[in-house]
Amino acid sequence: MPFLHGVGPDGAVFEYQLSKNRITIGRSKDCDITLADSTVSRNHAAITKTPEGYVLTDLGSFNGTKVNGVAIQTRLLRHEDQISIGKSRLTFLTEHSDISFRTASVILDADADAQQKVVGISPQSIAADSQQLLIARDTRKSRTGISSLGMAAAENHGEREPCGDVSSLERSNKVLFVLYEISRQLNSIQDFKELLTKIMDLIFMVIDADYGFLILTGGEKGEELIPMVVKYKDDKVVGTGQITASRTIINRVIRDKVALLTSNAMDDSRLDYAKSVFLQQIRSAICVPLWKKDSIIGVIQLDSIRFDNQFNHDDLELLKAIGSQMAMIIEQASLNEKIREEERLRNRLERFHSPQVVDMILRGGQEDLMEPKELTATVVFTDIVGFTSISEKLPPREVNMILNQYFSRMTDIIFRYDGTLDKYIGDGLLAVFGAPVEKEDDAIRALHAALAMRQAVEELRLDLPVGDRLDIRIGINTGKVVAGNMGSPKRLDYTVIGDPVNTAARLESIAAPHQILIGEETYRLVKDLFCITCVGSRRVKGKSVEITVYEVLSAKDGYSKPRKE
């Protein structure tokens, strides 16, 4: 039975069998798969069983759904398709595996942990003497007759041969080369996994290994192991295309916070003769932890299966130096990805909301604010009077320039008073004050914005040909509306609906040029701050009874300045 293998935003790993004909994915607890992630919509996506197979459908989510890195609306899923929903990653698999850890390239073998005591390395000791960074092996010779590295290091302690200085210099040059390339790639590569792959390529340029991998930890306590990159020598994948990685080695490094070097893995008693070591015919191995402050966030392991290519102390030192920098690079890359995601979201929001509202949305969890809900808002409709006659006299390009200039000025004014631009409607627009966030002075700011719009149109009129007149009429109303992302799964727009919206549109339609008309509820909220005259009762389309209409003339002294500049 097909299933989903998932990795949540906190690194938690889970599996979900597709036992129903339709399953839903989202932030809501009512969904079959609930993702605790503010970037995921309440009802984000669904997977439906069809005669052709399982189809993934985006349910009009705010941040979209991706398959193999490409945004989709609907997609027929295939084996091992990678689904991105918010910060979670799901893999669609058509065959279930009993292996608790599975990727296209790495399988962790749950070998028994070795019991021998090893020397731990704290983050502060990374730059310490090389003998403290090695795990001491048994001082006896191995069955192959190779002396332990620990004894070799002890014998040379205090008596460094001349070639040691050359080796140290060569290692330093390699470290500098790799770190320089990593820093350069960090600024040019935006995809996180691509960056890690490039770093592994650089490691293989300076350390001769047959294969290796990079694994990050996940879960609340770092108990989950998440493979990120697998690298083969010369990029030639052998066998089944999978590496069986020993949990004995990895757990030893993570649990005891050590860097592990073995020159004869199959004969190393510390590894308790792990099954995976023999299956992979590992002759020599290095496994180095990646540190984030006092905790380990992952490991890098390199393996060699050649008799004539045993890793040594210099290789360990080199990989440790690179690993300590990689941890910072990983943290920086993760931060950069969050920044880029916020920039993408900000760019979308800034088209409709003021900078202050955008900041509030980003700080407070945008989905809760953007989803449809009932609130009290003040709605503003504007329309250019006689624009058709102006359009007939001017070339289309000039008409477009006038409209762009007009909308630019109007939008700036709306944002200046913390309003939300709902939409452009021909040569008119709809703005809302009080959505997505209600404030006590929404109606006041709406009227200040309307007066500023009228003044701006007078200034724009100076650029028109002599004899042409540019005027606007404005209708404003306050009341209970439903505001939020609405539309079809293929397209969502933030908008408001309700009777107050319709009434505002009717007030705009009966207004004279240069006139601002407001409804009774708006009048009640602003009557003490503006010069207003009663126009009288008017019957408008869609209303069974007449409504009382008021005209706004100006702001009273002391209330003409905008609330925010």
Side-chain angles (χ1 to χ4, degrees):
M1 179 179 295
F3 70 103
L4 294 175
H5 177 89
V7 180
D10 58 353
V13 177
F14 63 90
E15 289 186 357
Y16 185 91
Q17 286 191 345
L18 302 180
S19 57
K20 301 195 303 183
N21 290 335
R22 186 177 188 270
I23 66 117
T24 55
I25 307 170
R27 201 175 76 254
S28 172
K29 294 182 179 179
D30 295 330
C31 292
D32 297 293
I33 299 178
T34 302
L35 301 176
D37 180 355
S38 62
T39 64
V40 175
S41 297
R42 291 186 181 277
N43 295 285
H44 197 106
I47 297 179
T48 306
K49 184 178 181 180
T50 69
E52 292 76 24
Y54 287 83
V55 175
L56 173 66
T57 303
D58 185 88
L59 300 179
S61 66
F62 189 73
N63 287 320
T65 302
K66 293 182 179 180
V67 175
N68 300 327
V70 178
I72 61 98
Q73 180 54 47
T74 59
R75 170 73 174 262
L76 179 65
L77 293 175
R78 301 186 182 281
H79 182 58
E80 294 189 346
D81 272 349
Q82 301 293 315
I83 305 169
S84 300
I85 296 179
K87 299 174 184 176
S88 299
R89 301 294 178 266
L90 309 176
T91 304
F92 176 76
L93 300 169
T94 57
E95 297 178 0
H96 194 80
S97 171
D98 293 332
I99 300 172
S100 60
F101 179 90
R102 183 187 186 281
T103 69
S105 303
V106 179
I107 297 176
L108 288 181
D109 184 55
D111 296 324
D113 289 338
Q115 300 299 319
Q116 289 83 351
K117 185 177 181 181
V118 296
V119 179
I121 307 171
S122 67
Q124 293 78 14
S125 67
I126 286 178
D129 187 82
S130 60
Q131 293 177 53
Q132 299 176 4
L133 304 180
L134 289 172
I135 299 176
R137 285 195 55 192
D138 196 340
T139 56
R140 295 169 298 174
K141 289 187 177 182
S142 67
R143 287 183 299 200
T144 59
I146 301 175
S147 299
S148 70
L149 287 173
M151 179 171 289
E155 291 173 350
N156 290 330
H157 182 56
E159 279 186 24
R160 186 180 295 276
E161 297 182 5
C163 64
D165 294 332
V166 176
S167 176
S168 178
L169 179 61
E170 181 183 2
R171 184 174 66 249
S172 298
N173 288 338
K174 289 180 178 180
V175 171
L176 290 174
F177 165 75
V178 172
L179 297 185
Y180 169 76
E181 285 296 319
I182 289 175
S183 299
R184 189 169 65 85
Q185 298 296 336
L186 180 64
N187 295 322
S188 60
I189 298 178
Q190 294 189 349
D191 183 79
F192 180 55
K193 190 167 183 178
E194 182 183 351
L195 176 64
L196 296 183
T197 301
K198 182 62 179 179
I199 293 175
M200 286 295 288
D201 291 342
L202 292 169
I203 291 174
F204 270 65
M205 292 178 66
V206 295
I207 299 179
D208 186 14
D210 290 308
Y211 51 82
F213 49 83
L214 187 155
I215 289 177
L216 298 183
T217 58
E220 294 182 1
K221 299 181 180 179
E223 71 279 4
E224 302 293 345
L225 300 178
I226 307 169
M228 300 300 295
V229 181
V230 170
K231 170 74 175 176
Y232 284 85
K233 181 179 177 65
D234 299 326
D235 293 321
K236 294 180 180 178
V237 179
V238 296
T240 62
Q242 295 179 334
I243 291 178
T244 302
S246 172
R247 278 189 178 269
T248 300
I249 296 177
I250 296 172
N251 287 345
R252 171 60 64 89
V253 170
I254 294 176
R255 183 192 63 201
D256 297 331
K257 299 185 176 181
V258 297
L260 185 96
L261 168 65
T262 176
S263 59
N264 192 356
M266 290 188 290
D267 193 41
D268 195 329
S269 61
R270 295 169 302 158
L271 303 182
D272 201 23
Y273 307 108
K275 179 179 66 177
S276 57
V277 171
F278 285 91
L279 289 176
Q280 295 294 106
Q281 292 294 299
I282 298 174
R283 301 294 176 182
S284 184
I286 314 175
C287 192
V288 171
L290 303 177
W291 290 95
K292 179 183 178 183
K293 296 182 179 179
D294 295 332
S295 61
I296 291 177
I297 62 173
V299 297
I300 308 173
Q301 181 170 324
L302 300 180
D303 296 324
S304 174
I305 60 176
R306 287 169 284 164
F307 284 102
D308 60 345
N309 185 49
Q310 295 180 349
F311 298 125
N312 56 31
H313 158 70
D314 287 343
D315 296 324
L316 175 67
E317 281 284 280
L318 179 56
L319 190 59
K320 282 186 60 59
I322 295 172
S324 63
Q325 293 295 318
M326 274 192 68
M328 292 188 289
I329 294 297
I330 290 171
E331 185 69 15
Q332 182 64 44
S334 178
L335 179 61
N336 288 347
E337 179 60 29
K338 291 180 181 178
I339 292 173
R340 284 191 291 268
E341 183 63 30
E342 182 173 314
E343 287 178 349
R344 288 192 290 268
L345 181 57
R346 181 179 292 274
N347 289 336
R348 292 172 60 185
L349 294 173
E350 283 180 343
R351 293 183 296 166
F352 307 103
H353 306 287
S354 69
Q356 294 84 2
V357 173
V358 171
D359 288 338
M360 189 178 301
I361 292 172
L362 293 176
R363 287 197 307 268
Q366 65 275 11
E367 286 300 328
D368 289 333
L369 289 172
M370 305 303 288
E371 289 183 354
K373 61 181 178 181
E374 185 177 286
L375 43 74
T376 299
T378 298
V379 181
V380 179
F381 268 97
T382 75
D383 185 48
I384 299 177
V385 180
F387 190 74
T388 302
S389 61
I390 297 176
S391 302
E392 292 176 348
K393 300 176 183 177
L394 299 175
R397 182 177 293 275
E398 290 189 29
V399 173
N400 181 67
M401 291 176 60
I402 293 173
L403 271 181
N404 286 341
Q405 189 177 7
Y406 166 76
F407 284 135
S408 178
R409 293 286 295 274
M410 299 301 105
T411 302
D412 288 344
I413 292 170
I414 292 168
F415 289 171
R416 188 194 312 163
Y417 291 91
D418 276 2
T420 294
L421 174 65
D422 187 302
K423 62 175 66 71
Y424 299 125
I425 311 170
D427 55 10
L429 61 81
L430 167 60
V432 185
F433 294 79
V437 180
E438 291 183 70
K439 298 178 183 177
E440 292 183 357
D441 62 344
D442 289 328
I444 299 171
R445 287 182 288 106
L447 264 64
H448 279 306
L451 291 169
M453 288 179 187
R454 189 167 65 180
Q455 177 62 36
V457 168
E458 292 180 0
E459 297 170 1
L460 289 172
R461 189 185 303 154
L462 300 176
D463 297 329
L464 292 176
V466 177
D468 287 327
R469 181 174 179 84
L470 187 67
D471 274 316
I472 63 170
R473 55 191 181 205
I474 301 175
I476 303 175
N477 195 40
T478 303
K480 289 285 186 181
V481 299
V482 174
N485 286 327
M486 302 180 195
S488 72
K490 293 185 177 180
R491 174 169 177 173
L492 285 178
D493 284 319
Y494 188 86
T495 190
V496 292
I497 59 174
D499 183 66
V501 181
N502 299 331
T503 301
R506 302 301 180 230
L507 290 172
E508 177 269 314
S509 67
I510 65 173
H514 206 61
Q515 194 174 37
I516 302 173
L517 297 183
I518 64 175
E520 196 161 3
E521 179 61 20
T522 306
Y523 170 75
R524 185 184 66 81
L525 295 170
V526 303
K527 60 184 178 180
D528 296 330
L529 306 179
F530 294 84
C531 297
I532 300 174
T533 183
C534 181
V535 175
S537 298
R538 294 287 186 273
R539 180 175 293 278
V540 296
K541 184 178 179 181
K543 286 286 187 180
S544 58
V545 297
E546 293 184 342
I547 62 173
T548 304
V549 179
Y550 301 85
E551 180 183 359
V552 180
L553 303 176
S554 63
K556 290 184 178 180
D557 293 340
Y559 295 97
S560 58
K561 289 188 67 176
R563 192 178 66 86
K564 291 193 181 202
E565 295 291 349

